[in-house]
Structures are given as C-alpha cells and as structure tokens.
Amino acid sequence: GEDVEQSLFLSVREGDSSVINCTYTDSSSTYLYWYKQEPGAGLQLLTYIFSNMDMKQDQRLTVLLNKKDKHLSLRIADTQTGDSAIYFCAENSGGSNYKLTFGKGTLLTVNP
Amino acid sequence: NAGVTQTPKFQVLKTGQSMTLQCAQDMNHNSMYWYRQDPGMGLRLIYYSASEGTTDKGEVPNGYNVSRLNKREFSLRLESAAPSQTSVYFCASTQPDSSYEQYFGPGTRLTVT
C-alpha cells in the first residue's frame, strides 16, 4: 500500500534555510504536494511537482524530487518566523478516486 | 469565492449524541473528501465522493456516514458519538482534470465527552 514518511520536527534559526524531507513508497505517484498548516487553520497548498520533473522553484520554495529513491524535499530559503507551521507531504497515485496520501507532518519551529 | 466552508467551527457532544458536519464548496469541483486529524497521526481519510451521486469508504469509516447532497455539499454524520471521535475534521475538494490538488476547509474541532 501507499505510505508517506516525514520526520516529525525541525528547528531552525531565522534567516537560515530549512529543508523538510519526505519519502514515499508508491512508484506510480503522478503528483507530489507540499501543504502548510498554521495553528488552528486548515491545510494550504504550497506547491506541487509532477513526477516527470526533478525540481521546481517558486520564490523562496524549492522542491526536489528523486524519483529513483522516492524522496521529496522542500527547501525554504531565508526562513522567517511566519514560516513556523506543520508541513505535510502528500502523493497522488492517480486512479479514478483522486485520493491523496499524506505524511504525518513536520513541525517547523523558527527561532529568532 | 469562499472556497471550502465548514460548519460548525467548534462542537462539544456528549457520548451517544448525534450530529452532522456540513461542508460546501463553490469551485464547481467534482470530488470531495472528509478527513480527521489527530496528534501524531496526520490526516486520515474517512469517506470520499469521487463525483456527485457516489460515496466510498476511506481508511477510517467506522462510526460515520456521509451524504453527497449535490455537487456543492458533502456532509458527515456521527450517529452515536464516542470519545474516540474527538478530533479535528477537515473537508476538501478537487477538480479531477487538474493536478488533483485538494483545497481544504478551515476545519471543525469536535470534542466528545
């Protein structure tokens, strides 16, 4: 079955880069996503990458995909205190039900 | 556009009571989903509706029922609430002819005592 794994915690200093890692097991994944959840809020889509790409950049965010190792990462440049949140990795393996499988989330703490 | 809306935002129930969580989306999406979020467990899919008129079980359907009332609305019902159903419930929707990203509502925080 599908499984998505993430480390649970990451702590960085303001201004540093943050790298959040994710591994997945389903080799038929078509899209992979990063969501952000701030305290008391719903999930907000940050970015996604199609499985035939190996990198996507969007302002301070860089997504790297290593399809051979089934490894996805999210790099946040110049991390700010407002980036403190839980970050979820998710994958879509296609099919007619369009379900996503989520990791358990990584709590990013940005220290001033 | 309001996106995905959920009501209520907060609810406290006693064990054995019933309630319905409401979800609506104004993005004309075909597919809708109900998740629960518990500490350390991530998001787990309860039920989903791939299109209007269809519903299917997800990972943790026991104790819940759903209704896809029309294309816009997808409700989740707890017939006899149990303390194990204390959780935060999220509704989401997606348009299948896109990159399948799901859009989430703000959540309903439910406590069962």
Side-chain angles (χ1 to χ4, degrees), chain B residues 48-103:
Chain B
Y48 64 98
S49 172
S51 60
E52 189 179 354
T54 69
T55 60
D56 284 286
K57 294 178 181 179
E59 186 185 348
V60 288
N62 290 348
Y64 306 95
N65 285 301
V66 289
S67 295
R68 183 74 183 267
L69 304 169
N70 48 54
K71 191 171 185 180
R72 288 187 64 247
E73 298 172 287
F74 188 38
S75 63
L76 178 73
R77 182 158 178 85
L78 286 70
E79 289 291 351
S80 178
S84 61
Q85 294 178 303
T86 293
S87 189
V88 182
Y89 292 86
F90 290 101
C91 178
S93 69
T94 191
Q95 185 58 15
D97 60 357
S98 65
S99 49
Y100 311 110
E101 67 267 26
Q102 292 184 8
Y103 294 87

Side-chain angles (χ1 to χ4, degrees), chain A residues 33 35 37 40 97-98 104, chain B residues 33 37 40 45 99 102 109:
Chain A
Y33 311 84
Y35 282 85
Q37 184 182 33
N97 54 40
Y98 316 112
K104 289 185 169 49
Chain B
Y33 308 82
Q37 184 180 27
L45 183 65
S99 49
Q102 292 184 8
R109 282 144 186 84

